[in-house]
Amino acid sequence: MIDFENEIFTAVATAVRSKHTGTTVKSEYVRSPASFPTVALSEVDNVNVDALMDSSGEEKYAGLGYRLQVFSNTENGRKTEAKSIFKTADEVLRGMGFRRRTYSTTPEIYNSTIFSIMATYEGIADVNGVIYKR
């Protein structure tokens, strides 16, 4: 299996933590964060790309999928804070070669004090960690 999850997570976490002090960054799905703001980045797909295999039978490329979640509960400006944090993580992922596939915010929930963003990304990684847009 081609696995660069730690390197991808570390790149995003480092950028988010340095630009948005106090943000918790997790490497797995978060249903409801314990602290705010929180970012969660998790690998949701890692599949062999059969069409790009040669006769050796060795895995040379993997189709990767990532889910990015951003949560904010700031009393004033939670949407602005979440979008700012999202932008930082998004720039890192796109800069690595990923393509953003989806972007959605929390639906309007009665008396909600939390604003969240969820986005998904995809790319193809080779054995050297180079990521290509699908």
Side-chain angles (χ1 to χ4, degrees), residues 6 15 18 30 43 48 50 70-71 73 94 101 113 116 128:
N6 287 337
S18 69
V30 173
E43 188 174 86
N48 186 25
D50 290 333
V70 180
F71 300 89
N73 73 342
R94 288 185 308 104
R101 295 287 297 156
T113 59
S116 72
N128 299 311

Side-chain angles (χ1 to χ4, degrees), residues 57-69:
E58 294 179 22
E59 186 176 28
K60 300 202 185 310
Y61 298 92
L64 303 180
Y66 278 82
R67 173 180 39 228
L68 175 66
Q69 301 169 272

